Coordinates of all heavy atoms in Angstrom, one line a residue:
M1 N 0.8 -1.2 0.0 CA 0.0 0.0 0.0 C 0.9 1.2 0.0 O 1.9 1.3 0.7 CB -0.9 0.0 1.2 CG -1.9 1.1 1.2 SD -3.2 0.8 2.4 CE -2.6 1.9 3.7
K2 N 0.6 2.2 -0.8 CA 1.3 3.4 -1.0 C 1.0 4.4 0.2 O -0.2 4.5 0.6 CB 0.9 4.1 -2.3 CG 2.0 4.9 -2.9 CD 1.7 5.3 -4.3 CE 2.7 6.2 -4.8 NZ 2.5 6.8 -6.1
P3 N 2.0 5.1 0.7 CA 1.7 6.1 1.8 C 0.7 7.2 1.3 O 0.8 7.5 0.1 CB 3.0 6.6 2.2 CG 4.0 6.2 1.1 CD 3.3 5.1 0.3
I4 N -0.1 7.7 2.2 CA -1.0 8.8 1.8 C -0.2 10.1 1.7 O 0.6 10.4 2.5 CB -2.1 8.9 2.9 CG1 -2.9 7.6 3.0 CG2 -3.0 10.1 2.6 CD1 -3.8 7.6 4.2
E5 N -0.6 10.8 0.6 CA 0.1 12.1 0.4 C -1.0 13.2 0.3 O -2.2 12.9 0.0 CB 0.9 12.1 -0.9 CG 2.2 11.3 -0.7 CD 3.1 11.5 -1.9 OE1 2.7 11.5 -3.0 OE2 4.4 11.6 -1.6
Y6 N -0.6 14.4 0.5 CA -1.5 15.5 0.5 C -0.9 16.7 -0.3 O 0.3 16.8 -0.4 CB -1.8 16.0 2.0 CG -2.4 15.0 2.9 CD1 -1.7 14.1 3.5 CD2 -3.8 15.0 3.0 CE1 -2.2 13.1 4.3 CE2 -4.4 14.0 3.8 CZ -3.6 13.1 4.5 OH -4.2 12.2 5.3
L7 N -1.8 17.6 -0.7 CA -1.4 18.9 -1.3 C -1.6 19.9 -0.1 O -2.8 20.0 0.4 CB -2.3 19.3 -2.5 CG -1.9 18.5 -3.8 CD1 -2.9 19.0 -4.9 CD2 -0.5 18.7 -4.2
A8 N -0.6 20.5 0.2 CA -0.7 21.6 1.3 C -0.6 22.9 0.6 O 0.4 23.2 -0.1 CB 0.5 21.4 2.3
T9 N -1.6 23.8 0.9 CA -1.6 25.1 0.4 C -1.6 26.1 1.5 O -2.5 26.1 2.4 CB -2.9 25.3 -0.5 OG1 -2.9 24.3 -1.5 CG2 -2.9 26.7 -1.2
L10 N -0.6 27.0 1.4 CA -0.5 28.1 2.5 C -1.6 29.1 2.2 O -1.7 29.7 1.1 CB 0.8 28.7 2.3 CG 1.1 29.8 3.4 CD1 1.1 29.3 4.8 CD2 2.5 30.5 3.0
V11 N -2.5 29.2 3.2 CA -3.7 30.1 3.0 C -3.6 31.3 4.0 O -4.3 32.3 3.8 CB -5.0 29.4 3.2 CG1 -5.2 28.4 2.1 CG2 -5.1 28.7 4.6
R12 N -2.7 31.2 5.0 CA -2.5 32.4 5.9 C -1.0 32.8 5.9 O -0.2 32.0 6.4 CB -3.0 32.0 7.3 CG -4.4 31.6 7.4 CD -4.8 31.1 8.8 NE -4.7 32.1 9.8 CZ -5.6 33.0 10.1 NH1 -6.8 32.9 9.6 NH2 -5.4 33.9 11.1
G13 N -0.7 33.9 5.4 CA 0.7 34.4 5.3 C 1.2 34.3 3.9 O 0.6 33.8 3.0
R14 N 2.4 34.9 3.7 CA 2.9 35.0 2.4 C 3.9 33.8 2.1 O 3.9 33.3 1.0 CB 3.7 36.3 2.2 CG 2.9 37.5 2.1 CD 3.7 38.7 2.0 NE 3.0 39.7 1.1 CZ 3.5 40.8 0.8 NH1 4.8 41.1 1.2 NH2 2.8 41.6 0.1
Q15 N 4.7 33.5 3.1 CA 5.6 32.4 2.9 C 5.8 31.7 4.2 O 5.8 32.3 5.3 CB 7.0 32.9 2.4 CG 7.9 31.8 1.9 CD 9.2 32.5 1.3 OE1 10.0 33.0 2.1 NE2 9.4 32.4 0.0
Y16 N 6.1 30.4 4.1 CA 6.4 29.5 5.3 C 7.5 28.6 4.9 O 7.4 27.9 3.9 CB 5.1 28.8 5.7 CG 5.3 28.1 7.1 CD1 5.1 28.8 8.2 CD2 5.7 26.8 7.1 CE1 5.2 28.1 9.5 CE2 5.8 26.1 8.4 CZ 5.6 26.8 9.5 OH 5.7 26.2 10.7
R17 N 8.5 28.5 5.8 CA 9.7 27.6 5.6 C 9.6 26.5 6.6 O 9.5 26.8 7.8 CB 11.0 28.4 5.7 CG 11.2 29.3 4.5 CD 12.4 30.2 4.8 NE 13.6 29.5 5.2 CZ 14.6 29.3 4.4 NH1 14.6 29.7 3.2 NH2 15.7 28.7 4.9
F18 N 9.5 25.3 6.1 CA 9.5 24.1 7.0 C 10.8 23.4 7.0 O 11.2 23.0 5.9 CB 8.3 23.2 6.6 CG 8.2 22.0 7.4 CD1 7.6 22.0 8.7 CD2 8.6 20.7 6.9 CE1 7.6 20.9 9.4 CE2 8.5 19.6 7.7 CZ 8.0 19.7 8.9
R19 N 11.4 23.2 8.1 CA 12.8 22.6 8.2 C 12.6 21.1 8.3 O 11.9 20.5 9.1 CB 13.5 23.1 9.4 CG 14.9 22.5 9.5 CD 15.6 23.1 10.7 NE 14.9 23.0 11.9 CZ 15.3 22.3 13.0 NH1 16.5 21.8 13.0 NH2 14.6 22.3 14.0
V20 N 13.3 20.4 7.4 CA 13.2 18.9 7.3 C 14.6 18.4 7.7 O 15.6 18.6 6.9 CB 12.9 18.4 5.9 CG1 12.8 16.9 5.9 CG2 11.5 19.0 5.4
P21 N 14.8 17.8 8.9 CA 16.1 17.3 9.2 C 16.6 16.2 8.3 O 15.8 15.3 7.9 CB 15.9 16.7 10.6 CG 14.6 17.2 11.1 CD 13.8 17.5 9.9
S22 N 17.8 16.4 7.8 CA 18.3 15.3 6.9 C 19.8 15.2 7.0 O 20.6 15.9 6.3 CB 17.9 15.6 5.4 OG 18.5 16.9 5.1
G23 N 20.3 14.5 8.0 CA 21.7 14.3 8.2 C 22.4 15.5 8.7 O 21.9 16.2 9.6
A24 N 23.6 15.8 8.1 CA 24.4 16.8 8.6 C 23.8 18.2 8.4 O 24.0 19.1 9.2 CB 25.8 16.8 8.0
Q25 N 23.1 18.4 7.3 CA 22.5 19.7 7.0 C 21.0 19.5 6.9 O 20.5 18.6 6.3 CB 23.0 20.3 5.7 CG 24.4 20.9 5.9 CD 24.7 21.8 4.8 OE1 24.3 21.6 3.6 NE2 25.3 22.9 5.1
D26 N 20.3 20.5 7.4 CA 18.8 20.5 7.3 C 18.4 21.0 5.9 O 19.1 21.8 5.3 CB 18.2 21.3 8.3 CG 18.3 20.7 9.7 OD1 18.6 19.5 9.8 OD2 18.2 21.5 10.7
K27 N 17.3 20.5 5.4 CA 16.8 21.0 4.1 C 15.4 21.8 4.5 O 14.9 21.5 5.6 CB 16.4 19.9 3.2 CG 17.7 19.1 2.7 CD 17.3 18.1 1.7 CE 18.6 17.3 1.3 NZ 18.3 16.3 0.4
F28 N 15.0 22.6 3.6 CA 13.8 23.4 3.9 C 12.8 23.2 2.7 O 13.2 23.1 1.6 CB 14.1 24.9 4.0 CG 14.8 25.2 5.3 CD1 16.2 25.2 5.3 CD2 14.1 25.6 6.4 CE1 16.8 25.6 6.5 CE2 14.7 26.0 7.5 CZ 16.1 25.9 7.6
I29 N 11.5 23.1 3.1 CA 10.5 23.1 2.1 C 9.9 24.5 2.2 O 9.5 25.0 3.3 CB 9.4 22.1 2.4 CG1 9.9 20.7 2.4 CG2 8.2 22.2 1.3 CD1 8.9 19.6 2.8
V30 N 9.8 25.3 1.1 CA 9.4 26.6 1.1 C 7.9 26.6 0.5 O 7.8 26.2 -0.6 CB 10.3 27.6 0.3 CG1 9.7 29.0 0.4 CG2 11.7 27.6 1.0
F31 N 7.0 27.1 1.3 CA 5.6 27.2 0.8 C 5.3 28.7 0.5 O 5.6 29.5 1.4 CB 4.7 26.7 1.9 CG 4.8 25.3 2.3 CD1 5.6 24.9 3.3 CD2 4.1 24.3 1.6 CE1 5.8 23.6 3.7 CE2 4.2 23.0 2.0 CZ 5.1 22.6 3.0
N32 N 4.8 29.0 -0.6 CA 4.4 30.3 -1.0 C 2.8 30.4 -1.0 O 2.2 29.4 -1.4 CB 4.9 30.7 -2.3 CG 6.4 31.0 -2.3 OD1 6.9 31.7 -1.4 ND2 7.2 30.3 -3.1
H33 N 2.3 31.5 -0.6 CA 0.8 31.6 -0.5 C 0.2 31.2 -1.8 O 0.5 31.6 -2.9 CB 0.4 33.1 -0.2 CG -1.0 33.3 0.0 ND1 -1.6 33.1 1.3 CD2 -2.0 33.6 -0.8 CE1 -2.9 33.3 1.2 NE2 -3.2 33.6 -0.1
G34 N -0.8 30.3 -1.7 CA -1.7 29.9 -2.8 C -1.1 28.8 -3.7 O -1.8 28.3 -4.5
N35 N 0.2 28.4 -3.5 CA 0.8 27.4 -4.3 C 0.8 26.0 -3.5 O 1.3 26.0 -2.4 CB 2.3 27.7 -4.6 CG 2.3 29.0 -5.5 OD1 1.4 29.3 -6.2 ND2 3.4 29.6 -5.4
A36 N 0.2 25.0 -4.1 CA 0.1 23.7 -3.5 C 1.4 23.0 -3.6 O 2.1 23.0 -4.6 CB -1.0 22.9 -4.1
V37 N 1.8 22.3 -2.5 CA 3.0 21.5 -2.4 C 2.6 20.1 -1.9 O 1.9 20.0 -1.0 CB 4.1 22.1 -1.5 CG1 5.3 21.3 -1.4 CG2 4.4 23.5 -2.0
R38 N 3.2 19.1 -2.6 CA 2.9 17.7 -2.2 C 3.7 17.4 -1.0 O 4.9 17.6 -0.9 CB 3.3 16.7 -3.3 CG 3.0 15.3 -3.1 CD 3.5 14.4 -4.2 NE 2.6 14.6 -5.4 CZ 1.9 13.7 -6.0 NH1 2.2 12.4 -5.7 NH2 1.2 13.9 -7.0
V39 N 3.0 16.9 0.1 CA 3.6 16.5 1.4 C 3.2 15.2 1.8 O 2.1 14.7 1.5 CB 3.4 17.6 2.5 CG1 3.9 18.9 2.1 CG2 1.9 17.7 2.8
S40 N 4.0 14.5 2.7 CA 3.7 13.2 3.3 C 2.7 13.5 4.4 O 2.5 14.6 4.9 CB 4.9 12.6 3.8 OG 5.5 13.3 4.8
E41 N 2.2 12.4 4.9 CA 1.3 12.4 6.1 C 2.0 12.9 7.3 O 1.5 13.7 8.1 CB 0.7 11.1 6.3 CG -0.5 11.1 7.3 CD -1.3 9.8 7.3 OE1 -0.9 8.8 6.7 OE2 -2.3 9.8 8.0
A42 N 3.3 12.5 7.5 CA 4.1 13.0 8.6 C 4.3 14.5 8.6 O 4.2 15.2 9.6 CB 5.4 12.3 8.6
I43 N 4.6 15.1 7.4 CA 4.8 16.5 7.3 C 3.5 17.3 7.5 O 3.4 18.3 8.2 CB 5.5 16.9 6.0 CG1 6.9 16.4 5.9 CG2 5.4 18.4 5.7 CD1 7.6 16.6 4.6
K44 N 2.4 16.7 7.0 CA 1.1 17.3 7.2 C 0.8 17.4 8.7 O 0.4 18.4 9.2 CB 0.0 16.5 6.6 CG -1.5 17.0 6.9 CD -2.5 16.0 6.3 CE -3.9 16.4 6.6 NZ -4.4 16.1 7.9
S45 N 1.1 16.3 9.5 CA 0.9 16.3 10.9 C 1.7 17.4 11.6 O 1.2 18.1 12.5 CB 1.2 14.9 11.4 OG 1.0 14.9 12.8
E46 N 2.9 17.5 11.2 CA 3.8 18.5 11.8 C 3.3 20.0 11.5 O 3.4 20.8 12.4 CB 5.3 18.4 11.3 CG 5.9 17.2 11.9 CD 6.1 17.3 13.4 OE1 6.6 18.3 13.9 OE2 5.7 16.3 14.1
L47 N 2.9 20.2 10.3 CA 2.3 21.5 9.9 C 1.1 21.8 10.7 O 0.9 22.9 11.2 CB 2.0 21.6 8.4 CG 3.3 21.6 7.5 CD1 2.8 21.5 6.1 CD2 4.1 22.8 7.7
E48 N 0.2 20.9 10.9 CA -1.0 21.0 11.7 C -0.7 21.4 13.1 O -1.4 22.1 13.8 CB -1.9 19.8 11.6 CG -2.6 19.6 10.3 CD -3.4 18.4 10.2 OE1 -3.0 17.3 10.7 OE2 -4.5 18.4 9.6
K49 N 0.4 20.8 13.6 CA 0.8 21.0 15.0 C 1.5 22.4 15.2 O 1.3 23.0 16.2 CB 1.7 19.9 15.4 CG 1.9 19.8 16.9 CD 2.8 18.6 17.3 CE 2.4 17.3 16.7 NZ 3.3 16.2 17.0
H50 N 2.4 22.8 14.3 CA 3.3 23.9 14.6 C 3.0 25.1 13.7 O 3.4 26.2 14.1 CB 4.7 23.4 14.3 CG 5.2 22.3 15.3 ND1 5.3 22.5 16.6 CD2 5.4 21.1 15.0 CE1 5.7 21.4 17.2 NE2 5.7 20.5 16.3
A51 N 2.3 25.0 12.6 CA 2.1 26.2 11.7 C 0.7 26.7 12.0 O -0.3 26.5 11.2 CB 2.2 25.8 10.2
I52 N 0.5 27.3 13.2 CA -0.8 27.8 13.6 C -0.7 29.3 13.9 O 0.4 29.8 14.2 CB -1.3 27.0 14.8 CG1 -0.3 27.1 15.9 CG2 -1.7 25.6 14.4 CD1 -0.8 26.4 17.2
D53 N -1.8 30.0 13.8 CA -1.9 31.4 14.1 C -3.0 31.5 15.2 O -4.1 30.9 15.1 CB -2.4 32.2 12.9 CG -1.3 32.5 11.9 OD1 -0.1 32.5 12.4 OD2 -1.6 32.7 10.8
P54 N -2.8 32.4 16.2 CA -3.8 32.7 17.2 C -4.9 33.6 16.5 O -4.5 34.5 15.8 CB -3.1 33.4 18.3 CG -1.9 33.9 17.7 CD -1.5 33.0 16.5
V55 N -6.1 33.3 16.7 CA -7.2 34.2 16.2 C -8.0 34.6 17.4 O -8.5 33.8 18.2 CB -8.1 33.3 15.2 CG1 -9.3 34.2 14.8 CG2 -7.2 32.9 14.1
Q56 N -8.1 35.9 17.6 CA -8.8 36.5 18.8 C -10.2 36.9 18.3 O -10.4 37.7 17.4 CB -8.0 37.6 19.3 CG -8.6 38.2 20.6 CD -7.6 39.2 21.2 OE1 -6.4 39.1 21.1 NE2 -8.2 40.1 21.9
T57 N -11.2 36.5 19.1 CA -12.6 37.0 18.8 C -13.1 37.7 20.0 O -13.0 37.2 21.1 CB -13.5 35.7 18.5 OG1 -13.0 35.0 17.4 CG2 -14.9 36.2 18.2
T58 N -13.6 38.9 19.9 CA -14.2 39.7 20.9 C -15.7 39.7 20.8 O -16.2 40.1 19.7 CB -13.6 41.1 20.9 OG1 -12.2 41.1 21.0 CG2 -14.1 41.9 22.1
F59 N -16.4 39.3 21.8 CA -17.9 39.3 21.8 C -18.4 40.6 22.3 O -17.7 41.4 22.9 CB -18.4 38.1 22.6 CG -17.9 36.8 22.1 CD1 -16.8 36.1 22.6 CD2 -18.6 36.2 21.0 CE1 -16.4 34.9 22.1 CE2 -18.2 35.0 20.5 CZ -17.1 34.3 21.0
S60 N -19.7 40.9 22.0 CA -20.3 42.1 22.4 C -20.4 42.3 24.0 O -20.5 43.4 24.5 CB -21.7 42.2 21.9 OG -22.5 41.1 22.3
T61 N -20.2 41.2 24.7 CA -20.2 41.2 26.2 C -18.8 41.6 26.6 O -18.7 41.8 27.9 CB -20.5 39.8 26.7 OG1 -19.6 38.9 26.2 CG2 -21.9 39.4 26.3
G62 N -17.9 41.7 25.8 CA -16.5 42.1 26.2 C -15.6 40.9 26.4 O -14.4 41.0 26.6
E63 N -16.2 39.7 26.3 CA -15.5 38.5 26.5 C -14.6 38.3 25.3 O -15.0 38.5 24.1 CB -16.5 37.3 26.6 CG -15.8 35.9 26.8 CD -16.7 34.8 26.9 OE1 -18.0 35.0 27.0 OE2 -16.3 33.6 26.8
V64 N -13.4 37.8 25.5 CA -12.4 37.6 24.4 C -12.1 36.1 24.4 O -11.8 35.5 25.4 CB -11.1 38.4 24.6 CG1 -10.1 38.1 23.6 CG2 -11.4 39.9 24.7
E65 N -12.2 35.5 23.2 CA -11.8 34.1 23.1 C -10.7 34.0 22.0 O -10.7 34.6 21.0 CB -13.1 33.4 22.5 CG -12.9 31.9 22.4 CD -14.2 31.2 21.9 OE1 -15.1 31.1 22.6 OE2 -14.2 30.9 20.7
V66 N -9.7 33.2 22.4 CA -8.6 32.9 21.5 C -8.6 31.5 21.0 O -8.8 30.6 21.8 CB -7.2 33.2 22.2 CG1 -6.1 32.9 21.3 CG2 -7.2 34.6 22.6
S67 N -8.6 31.3 19.7 CA -8.5 30.0 19.1 C -7.4 30.0 18.2 O -6.7 31.0 17.9 CB -9.8 29.7 18.4 OG -10.0 30.6 17.4
Y68 N -7.0 28.8 17.7 CA -5.8 28.7 16.8 C -6.3 28.0 15.5 O -7.0 27.1 15.5 CB -4.8 27.8 17.5 CG -4.2 28.5 18.7 CD1 -4.9 28.3 20.0 CD2 -3.2 29.4 18.7 CE1 -4.4 29.0 21.1 CE2 -2.8 30.1 19.8 CZ -3.4 29.9 21.0 OH -2.9 30.6 22.1
E69 N -5.8 28.6 14.4 CA -6.1 28.1 13.1 C -4.8 27.7 12.4 O -3.8 28.5 12.4 CB -6.9 29.1 12.3 CG -8.3 29.3 12.8 CD -9.0 30.3 12.0 OE1 -8.6 30.7 10.9 OE2 -10.2 30.7 12.5
C70 N -4.9 26.6 11.6 CA -3.7 26.2 10.8 C -3.5 27.2 9.7 O -4.4 27.7 9.1 CB -3.9 24.8 10.3 SG -2.5 24.1 9.5
K71 N -2.2 27.4 9.3 CA -1.9 28.3 8.2 C -2.1 27.6 6.8 O -2.1 28.2 5.8 CB -0.4 28.7 8.2 CG 0.0 29.5 9.4 CD 1.5 29.8 9.4 CE 1.9 30.6 10.5 NZ 1.8 32.1 10.3
F72 N -2.4 26.3 6.9 CA -2.5 25.5 5.6 C -3.9 24.9 5.4 O -4.6 24.6 6.4 CB -1.5 24.4 5.7 CG -0.1 24.8 5.5 CD1 0.6 25.2 6.7 CD2 0.5 25.0 4.3 CE1 1.9 25.6 6.6 CE2 1.8 25.4 4.2 CZ 2.5 25.8 5.3
A73 N -4.2 24.7 4.2 CA -5.4 23.9 3.8 C -4.8 22.6 3.1 O -3.8 22.7 2.3 CB -6.3 24.6 2.8
F74 N -5.4 21.5 3.4 CA -4.9 20.2 2.9 C -5.9 19.5 2.1 O -7.1 19.6 2.4 CB -4.5 19.3 4.1 CG -3.4 19.8 4.9 CD1 -3.7 20.5 6.1 CD2 -2.1 19.7 4.6 CE1 -2.7 21.0 6.9 CE2 -1.1 20.2 5.4 CZ -1.4 20.9 6.6
E75 N -5.4 18.9 1.0 CA -6.3 18.1 0.1 C -5.6 16.7 -0.1 O -4.4 16.7 -0.5 CB -6.4 18.8 -1.2 CG -7.3 18.0 -2.2 CD -7.4 18.7 -3.5 OE1 -7.1 19.9 -3.6 OE2 -7.7 18.1 -4.5
E76 N -6.3 15.7 0.2 CA -5.8 14.3 0.1 C -5.6 14.0 -1.4 O -6.6 14.2 -2.1 CB -6.6 13.3 0.8 CG -6.0 11.9 0.9 CD -6.8 11.0 1.7 OE1 -7.6 11.4 2.6 OE2 -6.5 9.7 1.5
L77 N -4.5 13.4 -1.8 CA -4.3 13.1 -3.2 C -4.9 11.7 -3.4 O -4.6 10.8 -2.6 CB -2.8 13.1 -3.5 CG -2.2 14.4 -3.6 CD1 -0.7 14.3 -3.8 CD2 -2.8 15.2 -4.7
D78 N -5.7 11.5 -4.4 CA -6.3 10.2 -4.8 C -5.4 9.6 -5.8 O -5.4 10.1 -7.0 CB -7.7 10.4 -5.2 CG -8.4 9.1 -5.5 OD1 -7.9 8.1 -5.1 OD2 -9.5 9.1 -6.1
E79 N -4.7 8.6 -5.5 CA -3.8 7.9 -6.5 C -4.5 6.7 -7.2 O -3.8 5.9 -7.8 CB -2.5 7.4 -5.8 CG -1.7 8.6 -5.2 CD -1.1 9.5 -6.2 OE1 -0.8 9.0 -7.4 OE2 -0.9 10.6 -5.9
S80 N -5.8 6.6 -7.2 CA -6.4 5.5 -7.8 C -6.3 5.6 -9.3 O -6.4 6.7 -9.9 CB -7.9 5.4 -7.3 OG -8.6 6.5 -7.7
P81 N -6.2 4.5 -10.0 CA -6.1 4.6 -11.5 C -7.4 5.0 -12.2 O -8.4 5.0 -11.8 CB -5.7 3.1 -11.9 CG -6.1 2.3 -10.7 CD -6.2 3.1 -9.5

């Protein structure tokens, strides 16, 4: 069975650099706003965990709620023939 892959599209921000450890030197995947990049399930998981922005909502009562949203939108690739 082939590993699941995704298209990751940066939807919040202009550019995001993701460091991929690879031996003596690290490599980077550079995501530009609106351009989809093929990623593995492991990288998708890391992006969902670390590439987040705080979003603050203020209600009419004065209460403030902070939530977190991922900078990326993901689409699962269908590799069926």
Side-chain angles (χ1 to χ4, degrees):
M1 187 167 101
K2 207 171 177 185
I4 299 172
E5 290 190 317
Y6 296 87
L7 286 178
T9 304
L10 181 63
V11 294
R12 298 176 65 90
R14 290 180 147 181
Q15 189 178 71
Y16 188 86
R17 291 170 49 101
F18 179 74
R19 183 174 54 119
V20 181
S22 60
Q25 284 201 322
D26 293 339
K27 294 182 180 178
F28 288 88
I29 300 173
V30 178
F31 297 90
N32 291 307
H33 184 85
N35 296 334
V37 176
R38 184 181 287 233
V39 298
S40 67
E41 192 166 9
I43 292 176
K44 174 188 180 278
S45 177
E46 288 296 310
L47 290 172
E48 287 175 323
K49 193 182 308 178
H50 299 291
I52 55 175
D53 282 332
V55 177
Q56 185 173 330
T57 305
T58 305
F59 297 97
S60 59
T61 60
E63 180 184 348
V64 176
E65 181 179 288
V66 177
S67 60
Y68 296 89
E69 293 182 8
C70 186
K71 293 177 182 273
F72 290 88
F74 297 98
E75 180 184 340
E76 188 172 342
L77 290 174
D78 183 16
E79 296 292 333
S80 61

